[in-house]
Amino acid sequence: MARANLTPAAVIAAAAELADREGFDAVSVSALARRFGVQTASLYSHVRDRSAVLDGVHVLALGELADRIAVAIGGRSGRDALVALAAAHRAYARECPGRWAALQRPAAASTVRSAAAARVVALNLAMLRGYRLPETELVHATRLLGATVNGFLALEANGSFGHRDPATDDSWHRAIDALDVAFRHWPAERNS
Amino acid sequence: MARANLTPAAVIAAAAELADREGFDAVSVSALARRFGVQTASLYSHVRDRSAVLDGVHVLALGELADRIAVAIGGRSGRDALVALAAAHRAYARECPGRWAALQRPAAASTVRSAAAARVVALNLAMLRGYRLPETELVHATRLLGATVNGFLALEANGSFGHRDPATDDSWHRAIDALDVAFRHWPAERNS
DNA sequence: ACGCCAGCCTACACCCTTTAGGTTAGAACC
DNA sequence: GGTTCTAACCTAAAGGGTGTAGGCTGGCGT
């Protein structure tokens, strides 16, 4: 019985590739086993269950996205950094749709605590530095950034905007410009 | 063999209730059949497949959401209407998490063409009337609205904001205020 | 060479999806 | 009431997935 030299990392990498190629929902332990030429049950020596595989893809995707964001915002500030950061997200979502979909799942506790997640947060804060927001407002701004960018990409990915015609790109630019406006005219805390 | 008096609408209503009670992923044709006390295969006389059931829940949710938005924004304008519209979304997502999850799926062509979908669009445009945006900018503003609100609710639902402490509510209010700011200072088209 | 065990396998229990074809409840008609 | 028809139910089956238990063995360490 030849050993297939499986490792958790190899399984997760294969899952990420399968997700991008055939869709997030096509990732099953059975499908992965077929790719490695072993029986499905054999994979459980290396991964706890399907959910653990997808958690791994989630962390992998966070790391890759952080890499791309770091490159995109390096040497840029203010609106330019915002545009570049958002563009990195959009390019990633388009080029790696399965990986991106893994990011939409609830994050496991270990993922929340991962170095990759911390990097994404740090990069968001670095980008926001150019807007000179009060310290206490940074968490709110970070959440708005994530919500708007991710929300737009999710709607785009599920076809809510109809066919990808020029108007969607215009909408994208407008959305990022609107974010820039919001950050520059940040609404202070109100009595409510 | 007593007839269970099934109809497509009854199946869809049961699916919606099941989604809210046990989670979107718990909705299967098998689970629905158990609720009606019939064999799984019997449901295929009434619904084409699982996907068709979920499409039905999607349309149902759009209609319910439209009803809530209409009530929320009635008699309000400008920022008040925006806050109320967004709050209607958030309340719906919290009270009917399974129905809300159905809204996140890609919409079937029939759903896109449905009266419920048209109502939601019309209500969004009605709300935006208060901001006096140029006609050509309305589609962009509508998309930003949907992206931001839905994006925020999606992140909230999947735990990205950690526990629902006061800071998340603050972030929500800030996000809606930021939207208000963006609509009031709408970024005009740029040469790019 | 020998011993050990992680990594593979088979077997299995359980579950879901959907199609095909058979049976029948109940509506319509006489 | 009796008869006819058929949509709605059923069983059977093919195909697919998840994950546990226990057996077998390749390859590492001594």
Side-chain angles (χ1 to χ4, degrees):
Chain A
M1 191 53 58
R3 299 297 174 94
N5 289 317
L6 296 175
T7 64
V11 176
I12 287 161
E17 189 194 329
L18 183 62
D20 287 338
R21 185 182 301 225
E22 305 193 25
F24 183 78
D25 289 343
V27 180
S28 64
V29 178
S30 311
L32 290 168
R34 284 193 294 276
R35 287 172 83 92
F36 286 108
V38 299
Q39 299 301 308
T40 301
S42 306
L43 283 197
Y44 293 94
S45 304
H46 304 278
V47 292
R48 195 186 65 245
D49 56 17
R50 178 172 183 271
S51 180
V53 175
L54 298 177
D55 287 344
V57 176
H58 194 154
V59 173
L60 174 76
L62 280 174
E64 292 177 343
L65 182 59
D67 290 343
R68 288 170 172 240
I69 293 171
V71 170
I73 67 172
R76 293 191 162 104
S77 68
R79 182 177 171 277
D80 285 348
L82 170 62
V83 170
L85 181 149
H89 273 270
R90 197 173 184 218
Y92 191 69
R94 287 178 159 187
E95 290 160 35
C96 313
R99 285 164 156 86
W100 184 83
L103 291 175
Q104 313 314 308
R105 301 169 65 245
S110 58
T111 303
V112 173
R113 293 189 307 257
S114 68
R119 280 184 68 211
V120 173
V121 171
L123 289 164
N124 286 340
L125 292 174
M127 185 281 293
L128 286 169
R129 195 176 293 142
Y131 290 100
R132 300 181 179 282
L133 298 171
E135 184 83 24
T136 55
E137 296 295 314
L138 288 178
V139 61
H140 304 312
T142 300
R143 287 174 175 176
L144 176 64
L145 172 66
T148 307
V149 170
N150 245 57
F152 192 99
L153 296 179
L155 292 180
E156 186 175 40
N158 79 17
S160 294
F161 296 156
H163 294 290
R164 190 179 302 128
D165 53 26
T168 306
D169 280 347
D170 288 346
S171 296
W172 170 255
H173 294 309
R174 214 65 97 248
I176 305 307
D177 285 346
L179 253 188
D180 176 57
V181 167
F183 290 147
R184 283 189 290 106
H185 300 82
W186 190 250
E189 184 175 353
R190 292 167 180 266
N191 297 320
S192 60
Chain B
M1 190 56 59
R3 299 294 173 95
N5 289 318
L6 295 175
T7 64
V11 176
I12 286 161
E17 188 195 328
L18 182 60
D20 286 340
R21 183 183 304 226
E22 304 192 25
F24 183 76
D25 289 342
V27 180
S28 64
V29 179
S30 311
L32 290 168
R34 283 192 294 272
R35 285 172 86 87
F36 287 108
V38 298
Q39 299 301 308
T40 300
S42 306
L43 283 197
Y44 293 93
S45 304
H46 305 276
V47 292
R48 195 185 67 246
D49 56 17
R50 179 175 182 266
S51 178
V53 175
L54 297 177
D55 287 343
V57 176
H58 194 153
V59 174
L60 173 76
L62 279 174
E64 291 177 342
L65 183 58
D67 290 343
R68 287 169 172 242
I69 292 171
V71 169
I73 66 173
R76 294 192 161 104
S77 66
R79 181 176 172 279
D80 284 349
L82 170 62
V83 170
L85 182 148
H89 273 270
R90 197 173 183 220
Y92 190 69
R94 287 178 160 188
E95 290 160 35
C96 312
R99 286 165 156 85
W100 184 83
L103 291 176
Q104 313 314 308
R105 300 169 67 246
S110 56
T111 303
V112 173
R113 294 190 304 261
S114 67
R119 279 182 68 210
V120 172
V121 171
L123 290 164
N124 285 342
L125 293 174
M127 184 281 293
L128 285 169
R129 196 176 292 141
Y131 291 99
R132 301 184 178 279
L133 297 171
E135 185 80 25
T136 55
E137 297 293 314
L138 288 178
V139 62
H140 305 311
T142 300
R143 286 174 176 175
L144 176 65
L145 172 65
T148 306
V149 170
N150 244 58
F152 192 100
L153 297 178
L155 292 181
E156 186 175 39
N158 78 21
S160 295
F161 295 156
H163 294 292
R164 190 178 302 128
D165 53 26
T168 307
D169 280 348
D170 289 345
S171 296
W172 169 257
H173 295 309
R174 214 66 99 245
I176 306 308
D177 285 346
L179 254 188
D180 176 58
V181 167
F183 291 147
R184 283 189 289 107
H185 300 81
W186 188 250
E189 184 175 354
R190 293 169 181 262
N191 295 322
S192 60

